[in-house]
Amino acid sequence: TFLRVDAPTAVVVYDLRHALRPEQFSLKPRILRAVSYRRGYAVADGIISISQRSLDDLHELHRRTRHTPSVVAYLGADHVDGWSSAPPNDRRPMALAFGHQSNKNTDLLLAAWQALVDCGETPVHLLVLGLDEQRRADTTAEVARRHLGGRVRLAPFVSDDEFRSLFAGADVIVFPSDFEGFGLPV
């Protein structure tokens, strides 16, 4: 909020990727986040961070927040305990990766898959999830350029049930992200 309210106010900090990796954002989101987040920190009576890394980043980049009462409240991952761990019987070996943000490094992932092929290896089938229409179009062109069409499949976001099944049934999770404030994905 830009206004101070008549009640204690806390902000939740997920990560500061927009400040630490600005090249991954266009100008408009960077400006919007810089202005609104700075104001949020200024009016907050308390700060809740989802990881110690994010809180440390915040205190380093916005030194005045060091004087604001802060706590780390880790996002839980215990929900995965109920997921089936049995892979479907009717599928080939598969690696799973994510491509919904630039920090997921889909280009590095495809270069690695191509390097495996170039070395005579036969990498498992790779499924890249979370690609919006533009990212899917760009990545499809890169897959074609690297001649990986039979080895890489691209998909948009999938339903929760399908995600659980794919994640639990994957032989490999590939995660070449260059920045994760959450610490949760892995």
Side-chain angles (χ1 to χ4, degrees), residues 12 22 25 46 80 94 97 99 134 141 153:
V12 178
F25 293 82
V80 302
M94 178 192 66
Q134 183 59 53
R153 187 170 66 111

Side-chain angles (χ1 to χ4, degrees), residues 4 7 9-10 15 17 31 66 74 87 101-102 128 132 135 147 161 169 176 179:
R4 185 168 288 282
T9 303
D15 68 45
R17 185 168 62 99
I31 292 171
R66 291 178 180 183
Y74 296 100
Q101 297 287 339
S102 61
V128 182
D132 62 27
R135 286 189 196 279
H147 307 289
D161 287 341
F179 187 95

